C-alpha cells in the first residue's frame, strides 16, 4: 500500500494518495505495519519530515528494504543528499566513510 500511495502521488492523484496514506495510518492501529510503507507514502507526497520519521523507525526495526531504498532506488536519488538520509546511511554503516573504517 505504501508503494501504491507513492505511485498515486507521483501520478498527480494527490487526493487518492492522501486517502491511501490515511488508510495505512488507520490500519496501523490494528496490526503491525512496516514503517517503510508509511515512509513510502509520505515520501511520494513530498512529506519529508513524516517520511524520514517513518524511515527512522524502519531503521530501528532493521527493515531490509530500507537499505535498497536509501542506497540504490533511483526514485530516492533526489533525497540522498539530505542530511537525514546521510545520517541513516551512517547509522546503518552504509555510507562511504563507515565502509572505509570497517574495511
Amino acid at each position: 500500500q505504501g508503494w501504491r500511495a507513492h505511485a498515486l502521488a507521483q501520478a498527480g492523484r494527490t487526493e487518492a494518495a492522501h486517502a491511501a496514506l490515511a488508510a495505512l495510518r488507520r490500519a496501523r492501529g490494528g496490526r503491525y505495519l512496516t514503517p517503510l510503507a508509511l515512509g513510502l507514502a509520505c515520501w511520494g507526497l513530498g512529506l519529508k519530515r513524516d517520511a524520514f520519521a517513518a524511515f527512522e523507525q524502519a531503521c530501528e526495526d532493521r527493515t531490509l528494504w530500507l537499505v535498497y531504498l536509501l542506497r540504490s532506488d533511483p526514485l530516492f536519488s533526489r533525497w540522498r543528499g539530505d542530511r537525514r538520509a546521510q545520517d541513516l546511511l551512517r547509522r546503518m554503516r552504509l555510507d562511504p566513510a563507515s565502509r572505509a573504517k570497517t574495511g
Side-chain angles (χ1 to χ4, degrees), residues 54 97-98 100-102:
S98 294
K101 291 177 190 173
T102 60

Side-chain angles (χ1 to χ4, degrees), residues 33-60:
L33 176 68
T34 175
L36 189 62
L38 289 173
L40 290 168
C42 293
W43 165 38
L45 286 161
L47 304 171
K48 288 177 82 168
R49 184 178 53 216
D50 292 341
F52 277 109
F55 294 154
E56 286 284 337
Q57 185 59 53
C59 181
E60 294 297 319

